[in-house]
Amino acid sequence: LGVHLVGPSEVASFAGQAASSDRTKVTAVVCLDSTDARLVDQSGNDVTPAERDPVLELVVSFKWVSGAFLIIDSDVGDGESC
């Protein structure tokens, strides 16, 4: 498509939702604030949709691997938590 993201996105909130019984897998809702981020085309034109919600809800799954939690999955949530 030839577009890329320019500018910062920040974690507005992070809330744990579930954990496996052995606590090696965790799911959380992350609210990502992209107010200052823009989509830019190959010519440098801002092509950010005007109707874009500046805060995006992500449902992120983490797995404990070698002493750290790593992201193993991420999906757009329904937006009700952000």
Side-chain angles (χ1 to χ4, degrees):
L1 292 173
V3 298
H4 61 277
L5 192 62
V6 174
S9 293
E10 298 180 3
V11 174
S13 65
F14 182 100
Q17 297 295 302
S20 62
S21 60
D22 62 358
R23 292 184 173 84
T24 60
K25 185 176 178 187
V26 176
T27 302
V29 171
V30 179
C31 297
L32 188 64
D33 184 349
S34 297
T35 301
D36 296 325
R38 297 286 174 255
L39 283 176
V40 178
D41 68 13
Q42 292 175 334
S43 299
N45 300 309
D46 184 347
V47 294
T48 307
E51 68 279 1
R52 178 190 74 164
D53 191 338
V55 179
L56 177 67
E57 178 183 301
L58 299 174
V59 179
V60 183
S61 296
F62 302 86
K63 185 174 182 179
W64 187 256
V65 177
S66 301
F69 278 108
L70 303 178
I71 295 173
I72 58 169
D73 191 35
S74 176
D75 291 307
V76 176
D78 58 19
E80 293 183 13
S81 296
C82 296

